[in-house]
């Protein structure tokens, strides 16, 4: 193994001599390790994108909350407490509730509200972004010479970054609408409109009364992180574009070598 360290401390060139057992030919593979890219905007933004993607999809995938309302049928009877919990992937919500005050037998009910498409797309975008930033950072650090010398790699990097930027915008917008609908339709007072026992009044007062509305702070944070990821990925496009063949900075012309002209004097 041959290790060459350049004048820059952050660049290490590792050469590994290998022999082919079948052909007997001597092969040499070279891997360039450079941490210089981490100091550049292109690499530093990738690290931030990785962390932001983790926060965005984890706040959504790990969300769960609980709502509670009570049913008062009047008289000396105790109130009936009904609790229901919902969380990712928000495909359905179940609860146990009596049909009416005369029939106290609890019935199993599945609410017909499904928000799994919007939440799933948002989480998938976060996971794909996280995985891609890990892969491209590996290329930046361990194969920076290959990335610089191969004109196709920066173009592929740019195209994938554009696609993920669009995904973040579409996913965040769809999930924002999903969160708005989720807050409204799964709120206890909204459910009262769909529950037979809550539609009638008993002794001049409402039968159902909301007690816990659920906590949505984590989902609100996920939306902020989603749109922040969109802005972050959009801003990073410029720094990736500068590495492609489409952006050719003006190079100063090499100085012309002028041979010294020796004058001939007369005596």
């Amino acid at each position: 193994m041959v290790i060459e360290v350049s004048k820059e401390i952050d660049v290490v060139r590792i050469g590994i001599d290998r022999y082919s057992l079948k052909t007997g030919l001597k092969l040499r593979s070279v891997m360039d390790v450079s941490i210089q890219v981490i100091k550049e905007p292109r690499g530093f933004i990738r690290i931030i994108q990785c962390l932001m993607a983790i926060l965005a999809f984890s706040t959504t995938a790990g969300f769960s909350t609980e709502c509670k309302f009570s049913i008062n049928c009047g008289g000396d009877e105790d109130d009936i407490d009904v609790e229901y919990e919902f969380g990712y992937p928000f495909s359905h919500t179940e609860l146990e509730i009596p049909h009416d005050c005369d029939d106290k037998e609890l019935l199993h009910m599945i609410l017909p509200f499904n928000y799994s498409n919007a939440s799933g797309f948002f989480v998938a975008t976060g996971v794909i972004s996280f995985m891609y930033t890990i892969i491209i950072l590996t290329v930046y650090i361990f194969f920076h010479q290959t990335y610089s010398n191969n004109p196709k790699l920066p173009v592929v990097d740019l195209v994938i970054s554009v696609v993920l930027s669009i995904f973040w915008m579409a996913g965040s917008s769809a999930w924002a609408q999903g969160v708005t609908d989720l807050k409204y339709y799964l709120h206890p007072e909204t459910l009262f409109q769909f529950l037979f026992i809550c539609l009638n009044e008993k002794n001049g007062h409402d039968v159902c009364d909301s007690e816990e509305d659920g906590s949505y702070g984590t989902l609100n944070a996920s939306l902020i992180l989603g749109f922040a990821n969109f802005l972050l990925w959009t801003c990073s496009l410029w720094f990736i574009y500068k590495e492609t063949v489409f952006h050719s900075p003006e190079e100063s012309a090499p100085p012309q070598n002028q041979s010294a002209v020796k004058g001939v004097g007369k005596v």
Side-chain angles (χ1 to χ4, degrees):
M1 177 183 291
V2 179
I3 301 179
E4 301 175 2
V5 182
S6 67
K7 294 181 180 180
E8 298 180 2
I9 300 178
D10 59 345
V11 178
V12 179
R13 188 175 180 84
I14 302 176
I16 303 176
D17 293 333
R18 299 183 291 115
Y19 291 89
S20 173
L21 297 179
K22 294 183 179 180
T23 61
L25 297 177
K26 183 178 180 181
L27 305 175
R28 182 181 177 86
S29 60
V30 177
M31 178 175 64
D32 292 293
V33 181
S34 174
I35 61 173
Q36 178 66 29
V37 68
I38 299 179
K39 304 176 184 178
E40 301 174 358
R42 174 169 55 101
F44 184 71
I45 289 179
R46 289 301 191 195
I47 297 176
I48 301 177
Q49 288 174 339
C50 181
L51 298 176
M52 292 286 286
I54 294 175
L55 293 175
F57 75 76
S58 62
T59 51
T60 301
F63 175 81
S64 178
T65 188
E66 184 179 273
C67 295
K68 179 180 178 181
F69 64 91
S70 62
I71 301 175
N72 184 0
C73 292
D76 298 332
E77 299 180 1
D78 295 334
D79 293 350
I80 302 174
D81 293 330
V82 178
E83 299 179 358
Y84 58 97
E85 184 178 357
F86 56 92
Y88 184 81
F90 310 98
S91 57
H92 64 274
T93 304
E94 302 178 2
L95 69 154
E96 303 283 342
I97 186 172
H99 178 68
D100 54 37
C101 287
D102 297 329
D103 184 4
K104 301 298 180 60
E105 182 182 357
L106 296 179
L107 302 176
H108 183 75
M109 178 179 293
I110 299 178
L111 301 179
F113 304 119
N114 191 334
Y115 306 99
S116 59
N117 292 335
S119 62
F121 183 77
F122 184 82
V123 171
T125 300
V127 173
I128 294 173
S129 299
F130 162 70
M131 295 176 62
Y132 180 71
T133 52
I134 295 297
I135 294 173
I136 200 63
L137 277 173
T138 302
V139 175
Y140 287 169
I141 296 174
F142 294 98
F143 304 98
H144 74 284
Q145 287 290 351
T146 304
Y147 184 91
S148 302
N149 297 332
N150 190 340
K152 294 182 180 179
L153 287 180
V155 174
V156 172
D157 188 16
L158 178 63
V159 171
I160 295 177
S161 298
V162 170
V163 172
L164 288 177
S165 299
I166 297 174
F167 277 15
W168 275 116
M169 182 60 185
S172 299
S173 300
W175 184 224
Q177 183 61 48
V179 171
T180 301
D181 294 342
L182 184 148
K183 290 179 180 179
Y184 175 76
Y185 287 105
L186 293 181
H187 192 278
E189 293 186 358
T190 304
L191 291 183
F192 296 164
Q193 305 173 19
F194 304 96
L195 302 177
F196 179 79
I197 194 173
C198 298
L199 295 178
N200 300 321
E201 293 186 356
K202 195 77 172 179
N203 298 329
H205 62 78
D206 294 333
V207 174
C208 299
D209 186 26
S210 176
E211 294 187 3
E212 293 184 12
D213 302 337
S215 177
Y216 301 95
T218 305
L219 284 188
N220 294 333
S222 71
L223 293 178
I224 296 175
L225 291 168
F227 286 106
N229 270 287
F230 165 69
L231 294 176
L232 192 61
W233 280 83
T234 303
C235 294
S236 68
L237 296 179
W238 167 248
F239 301 103
I240 303 173
Y241 171 75
K242 291 173 62 177
E243 303 295 325
T244 63
V245 294
F246 306 117
H247 180 270
S248 53
E250 298 181 359
E251 299 180 357
S252 57
Q256 298 179 353
N257 296 328
Q258 296 180 353
S259 58
V261 180
K262 298 181 180 179
V264 180
K266 293 182 180 180
V267 180

